[in-house]
Amino acid sequence: MERVLQRAEPSRPPPAGLTGITVPHHALAADLIARGFWAASQGSYDRIVLLAPDHFGRVKGPFATTDVLHETLYGTVPADRELTAALLSHPLFENHAAPFEEHGSMVLMPFIARFFPGTPVTLVFIATPSTAQDWDEAFELLAAHLTPRSLVIQSTDYSHFLPVSDAVARDQETLARIANGTPEAVTTLIQPDHLDAPGAQVLQMRLQRDVFGSSSAVVAHRNSVAYGTPAGNTTSYMVTLYHPQPEQLSRFDYPDQDRFALGGDILLGRYMTPLLQDGAATAAMMQSIIDATAGAPLIANLEGVLFPEPLINAPASAHVMQQGLAGPVLQNLNMSALSLGNNHTLDFGADGMEVTRAALDALGITALPHGTVVDFGPARLLALNMVPGREPHVLADDGFDWLCDTPAAPPLIVFVHWGEEHTNAPAPAQREIAEEMAACGVSAVIGAHSHLSSSEVEVALGRMPWVFSLGNLLFDQSGTRADGALAEVRVFEQGTVAVRLLPLGNLFDTGLAAMSGQ
């Protein structure tokens, strides 16, 4: 086991403060179990709650627990007798007759003893026939006993007994629902096609949201074929981390996945220019983004033209940026690509767009023109403008049959410019478009243009994560009608994607405050 732990040890210390982890319970995936426990290893906990399935039908009612001690090669795992007694006093819970036979808990005991020696543990075994009402009652019981110094461990394996191609499809449906973040989104998942413990997933997500205020990041997705099992009958594994500060989860990078981020509208000119000429203001705005991305490649929407020299006699309101001011900011943010699929790309005509593309090329930044699939390495990117103006654009009335025929190896991510300004929720038209794109096999849809960021990742056709708007990244709009967020995307080896939102607030206001010394 020590060799497994050493191979899984992260290269830099993980952040403290994780409130939950979800790990497999097949010893086959011991390296992924170790990944989850290493992630939480800097935390100091008074209480651990372990949510596990009832694989063998030993639990007659909805739930069971036990107050027995567990002996491991790393020492004894003590039972949390106070919480166990409180649970057993409720009619929902019974005493588990054979806890040592349940691998959903036993496989994790050595890891608990190794990483959290002496911390008392409450086991919660969840019966297959348990209902959403049962889960609601169990949530109330558990929530009353949890504090910020508690850790909730969800022991769950995902798609079961499926050919690997079907398993990947089911897993993407699960990943999309985890991205949505609402427990209600997972209540329709099928046991065991999607996972072996829907109740554990619902309880974990609700406890994290409503008790800890934590958000999630899926940091592993792998199928058992990677360990040598037959491809016709597989099990899938995921590792999910929870933390009350979403940006802390950006610090987790692993070689079996690619991580990058998408941001909203950028205009590094006009009334943003004084901030870019002020070191404190520029540093404050960039630091907010760097903290959220943790250095990952960044993609955003360039709202205007980028010239190598100041443009003489340009209107004060023009979307013009100077390469000397904008270039260092873009490079320091690790900007890898910028969309030109918007309603300001051709503000200075075709010549202005070509100058912009040349400036981006000089900065080492890939231009994403409207309607062209660009290979980004871990994914293919398609920038689309749906806002009529001077630029090429597509309209919803035109349909998206052409998208179904667009050659692009998955995953394909559509970065779309659409919607009404200063709104953060999609209209029915955007929902219909997202569903059409999902039906064509698009892996994710990320939107911009509205200047106000959405608060959740939505799910189209039960499988595709999408975000209506990321709002502004760096744009000269102040106040409550404008803000921004990042969409972090992780692409796993099987081509599945996990998306999550990282709120940024209004970075123009952040820069103004720093410039004034506040």
Side-chain angles (χ1 to χ4, degrees):
M1 180 167 162
E2 280 299 320
R3 284 200 296 269
V4 171
L5 294 176
Q6 289 171 7
R7 288 197 298 269
E9 185 173 1
S11 58
R12 57 182 178 181
L18 265 72
T19 54
I21 60 174
T22 298
V23 294
H25 48 243
H26 281 183
L28 184 70
D31 60 325
L32 297 186
I33 300 174
R35 181 178 296 187
F37 276 88
W38 274 118
S41 63
Q42 297 301 302
S44 178
Y45 303 104
D46 298 329
R47 167 170 284 162
I48 292 174
V49 173
L50 175 59
L51 308 172
D54 172 37
H55 283 99
F56 307 111
R58 298 280 191 180
V59 180
K60 305 309 177 187
F63 305 99
T65 187
T66 180
D67 61 0
V68 301
L69 304 178
H70 290 76
E71 301 296 335
T72 78
L73 72 162
Y74 293 108
T76 302
V77 176
D80 188 335
R81 299 189 185 278
E82 176 190 358
L83 180 50
T84 300
L87 296 180
L88 288 174
S89 68
H90 194 281
L92 277 178
F93 280 81
E94 64 192 63
N95 203 359
H96 200 292
F100 297 110
E101 297 179 6
E102 178 50 70
H103 64 278
S105 58
M106 290 303 298
V107 169
L108 303 189
M109 287 299 157
F111 292 90
I112 292 174
R114 164 68 169 74
F115 283 93
F116 309 112
T119 304
V121 175
T122 299
L123 296 177
V124 176
F125 300 100
I126 304 170
T128 299
S130 61
T131 66
Q133 182 177 343
D134 297 327
W135 306 336
D136 286 344
E137 291 188 55
F139 164 78
E140 297 295 341
L141 288 171
L142 293 169
H145 294 272
L146 298 180
T147 73
R149 288 176 59 85
S150 301
L151 177 69
V152 180
I153 301 174
Q154 176 192 344
S155 170
T156 298
D157 292 332
Y158 289 85
S159 58
H160 287 67
F161 316 126
L162 299 176
V164 65
S165 59
D166 293 344
V168 169
R170 289 297 195 189
D171 293 344
Q172 185 58 68
E173 293 170 355
T174 302
L175 287 165
R177 286 164 167 81
I178 293 173
N180 175 260
T182 62
E184 295 77 16
V186 303
T187 56
T188 57
L189 295 180
I190 302 168
Q191 183 179 22
D193 283 11
H194 288 102
L195 71 172
D196 58 17
Q201 188 75 52
V202 170
L203 276 172
Q204 175 73 298
M205 292 174 71
R206 191 168 177 198
L207 289 168
Q208 295 302 327
R209 182 191 68 181
D210 297 341
V211 175
F212 300 110
S214 293
S215 60
S216 67
V218 180
V219 298
H221 174 225
R222 190 178 298 162
N223 188 271
S224 60
V225 295
Y227 299 96
T229 66
N233 187 350
T234 70
T235 304
S236 294
Y237 311 111
M238 299 182 194
V239 177
T240 307
L241 311 179
Y242 294 88
H243 199 286
Q245 298 172 287
E247 69 277 5
Q248 294 295 329
L249 298 174
S250 303
R251 295 168 58 182
F252 293 97
D253 279 309
Y254 302 96
D256 60 350
Q257 61 201 245
D258 290 283
R259 184 177 67 89
F260 56 93
L262 289 92
D265 294 348
I266 283 187
L267 174 57
L268 296 174
R270 205 167 60 178
Y271 306 110
M272 183 71 77
T273 301
L275 275 66
L276 299 180
Q277 294 169 332
D278 183 281
T282 302
M285 293 186 295
M286 288 199 303
Q287 193 61 51
S288 295
I289 299 170
I290 292 169
D291 287 345
T293 65
L298 181 59
I299 302 160
N301 179 55
L302 189 66
E303 286 269 318
V305 292
L306 181 61
F307 285 101
E309 301 293 338
L311 192 62
I312 306 300
N313 296 325
S317 61
H319 286 222
V320 178
M321 291 161 271
Q322 299 176 31
Q323 186 173 340
L325 283 176
V329 173
L330 297 173
Q331 290 179 318
N332 288 333
L333 293 176
N334 196 19
M335 192 69 67
S336 296
L338 282 165
S339 171
L340 304 183
N342 61 67
N343 59 318
H344 287 286
T345 296
L346 288 175
D347 278 3
F348 287 81
D351 290 342
M353 185 175 71
E354 288 308 311
V355 170
T356 298
R357 295 190 65 164
L360 293 179
D361 187 62
L363 293 169
I365 298 172
T366 299
L368 304 176
H370 163 79
T372 302
V373 175
V374 176
D375 192 334
F376 186 61
R380 267 44 61 202
L381 299 175
L382 174 61
L384 285 184
N385 178 36
M386 299 191 68
V387 179
R390 303 182 182 88
E391 296 69 30
H393 61 270
V394 296
L395 296 176
D397 293 343
D398 299 334
F400 291 91
D401 292 343
W402 60 271
L403 182 57
C404 298
D405 299 327
T406 299
L412 172 64
I413 296 174
V414 177
F415 194 16
V416 60
H417 204 68
W418 63 357
E420 295 295 324
E421 292 191 340
H422 306 295
T423 60
N424 67 352
Q430 282 91 51
R431 294 189 185 280
E432 291 176 10
I433 293 167
E435 291 182 355
E436 288 187 61
M437 291 182 176
C440 285
V442 172
S443 297
V445 171
I446 309 295
H449 174 66
S450 81
H451 304 298
L452 197 61
S453 63
S454 299
S455 59
E456 67 176 359
V457 177
E458 305 211 36
V459 182
L461 297 186
R463 64 177 180 269
M464 187 193 76
W466 69 285
V467 178
F468 165 63
S469 178
L470 296 179
N472 291 339
L473 186 60
L474 293 170
F475 203 95
D476 57 357
Q477 291 178 331
S478 186
T480 58
R481 298 183 70 219
D483 67 8
L486 295 175
E488 181 189 79
V489 179
R490 290 180 190 256
V491 179
F492 302 106
E493 290 177 324
Q494 298 173 96
T496 51
V497 299
V499 177
R500 70 187 185 102
L501 281 176
L502 295 97
L504 291 173
N506 190 313
L507 295 187
F508 185 60
D509 286 347
T510 297
L512 289 173
M515 188 167 63
S516 64
Q518 295 179 3

